Amino acid sequence: MQADLLKTLGLMRRAGKLSAGEDGVRQAVRKHTAKLILVAADASDNALKRAQGFADASHAPLIRLDENKDALCRALGVNGGAMFAVCDPGFAKMFLGKLKDS
């Protein structure tokens, strides 16, 4: 993943618009704030199925990232987590645009 995409994820995290981990994603889906679900490249099949369920429930796109859990968590300053929810429509649109351009 490009450094620009990781910086964008970091910006979302600092702005409080990125929920990390399964519990964070579940809460975002329940609050109807999840606009985009992101999954680490090395997420287990079970985690991927749960993330797909969250994406289906929230009608949010699901994107499997190129980075592994450790790299994502290190870049975002969070402890653990194979999935993330972008909780702002503007950030989600910006991230998808950057992903498309990369």
Side-chain angles (χ1 to χ4, degrees):
M1 179 181 289
Q2 292 180 330
D4 189 39
L5 291 174
L6 286 176
K7 287 179 185 178
T8 302
L9 289 174
L11 176 64
M12 290 181 218
R13 179 75 175 153
R14 289 188 302 278
K17 300 298 182 182
L18 185 75
S19 295
E22 186 174 344
D23 290 335
V25 173
R26 181 181 293 115
Q27 288 177 0
V29 169
R30 285 184 180 161
K31 291 179 182 178
H32 305 286
T33 59
K35 306 301 178 198
L36 177 64
I37 308 294
L38 306 172
V39 181
D42 61 344
S44 70
D45 289 340
N46 287 334
L48 185 59
K49 286 178 187 175
R50 288 190 299 275
Q52 185 63 59
F54 293 143
D56 292 344
S58 62
H59 305 289
L62 175 78
I63 305 291
R64 190 147 197 189
L65 301 172
D66 293 335
E67 294 293 329
N68 63 33
K69 293 181 283 192
D70 290 337
L72 288 167
C73 291
R74 210 173 324 125
L76 297 173
V78 297
N79 293 325
M83 64 182 82
F84 304 88
V86 178
C87 299
D88 180 84
F91 276 133
K93 184 177 179 178
M94 178 175 63
F95 187 82
L96 289 172
K98 288 180 183 251
L99 193 61
K100 184 179 176 182
D101 291 342
S102 64

